[in-house]
Amino acid sequence: MILPIKRRAAALLAIFLAVGSCSSGGGSYSEAPRNQRDLCAIFAERPEWRDAAIASARKWGAPVPVQMAIIWRESSFRSSVRPPKKYIIGIIPDGHISSAYGYAQAIDGTWNWYREDTGNRRADRTNFADAADFVGWYMAKSYRQNEIGMNDAYNQYLAYHEGHAGHRRGSHRKKAWLLRVADKVRDRADDYAAQFRGCR
């Protein structure tokens, strides 16, 4: 009779740990929010995301709707998404086309820069609070280095995608597809801003 009790206790402990890890502060989710078009619905489903985005806005001056629009475009609010894989001669997998990872799709070099610059060395790209803080930090850099307004979702996204030097060079101007994407980010940020004003 002792063995089954031990097994039952081990199973209960495993369930407890799994549930605990899912509810950790600002953490990651395997599934995206159900209604990504409605910021109030997102925050109702993930209230700790609201707290994280507001904390980033207060720290960096990055408006919550713009942060959320960028994260929406980059990952569709999925915690561990990566870019497509690349293949040698079309059949042999050879890693991914970029090191971008997580909610904010931050590449290795920029993520390391963020961790060094902020002292947040334990930051995790699959943690939403860290991702929101990263986006706010990057937007603040774009404001200081490229003089892009914090409410200018269109150019904030272009600098986010192309890098500060690339944006200054105007590398985005030759990429019609990217300009269309930036339009979508601006429109989504506008929608989120209108919704956010009415969120309870």
Side-chain angles (χ1 to χ4, degrees):
M1 290 298 294
I2 295 174
L3 188 59
I5 290 171
K6 283 186 177 179
R7 283 184 184 160
R8 230 176 308 159
L12 287 171
L13 179 61
I15 291 168
F16 175 80
L17 291 173
V19 170
S21 67
C22 290
S23 60
S24 58
S28 59
Y29 291 83
S30 59
E31 294 182 9
R34 289 185 291 273
N35 184 358
Q36 297 187 20
R37 292 181 175 274
D38 187 332
L39 187 58
C40 298
I42 293 169
F43 286 162
E45 190 176 339
R46 308 272 202 270
E48 67 276 25
W49 288 11
R50 177 198 61 221
D51 296 343
I54 290 172
S56 178
R58 287 175 177 162
K59 183 176 180 180
W60 303 111
V64 168
V66 180
Q67 291 179 50
M68 294 297 287
I70 289 173
I71 295 172
W72 159 74
R73 179 60 209 182
E74 290 299 283
S75 67
S76 297
F77 301 113
R78 292 173 294 163
S79 63
S80 55
V81 66
R82 289 185 183 275
K85 289 185 177 181
K86 57 183 178 180
Y87 295 88
I88 299 171
I89 61 173
I91 55 170
I92 302 169
D94 186 36
H96 295 268
I97 60 174
S98 161
S99 64
Y101 181 58
Y103 286 113
Q105 286 297 281
I107 60 173
D108 291 349
T110 310
W111 188 256
N112 290 335
W113 176 28
Y114 159 75
R115 293 199 298 185
E116 289 290 327
D117 195 52
T118 62
N120 188 11
R121 297 179 190 278
R122 299 181 69 181
D124 185 340
R125 284 178 278 188
T126 65
N127 180 284
F128 188 86
D130 290 336
D133 193 67
F134 170 83
V135 172
W137 167 83
Y138 197 91
M139 288 176 62
K141 293 284 187 189
S142 298
Y143 172 74
R144 287 195 296 270
Q145 295 186 21
N146 292 36
E147 299 182 341
I148 300 171
M150 296 297 262
N151 282 295
D152 184 353
Y154 181 84
N155 280 294
Q156 281 285 352
Y157 181 74
L158 289 173
Y160 191 89
H161 190 277
E162 296 295 278
H164 299 124
H167 185 268
R168 281 194 297 274
R169 289 195 308 269
S171 59
H172 51 282
R173 295 191 189 104
K174 297 180 180 178
K175 300 176 180 178
W177 64 270
L178 179 58
L179 300 180
R180 290 192 295 271
V181 170
D183 278 333
K184 291 179 181 179
V185 172
R186 178 189 56 208
D187 292 346
R188 181 57 59 96
D190 288 345
D191 289 346
Y192 281 171
Q195 293 159 359
F196 191 51
R197 287 192 290 270
C199 289
R200 292 184 179 180

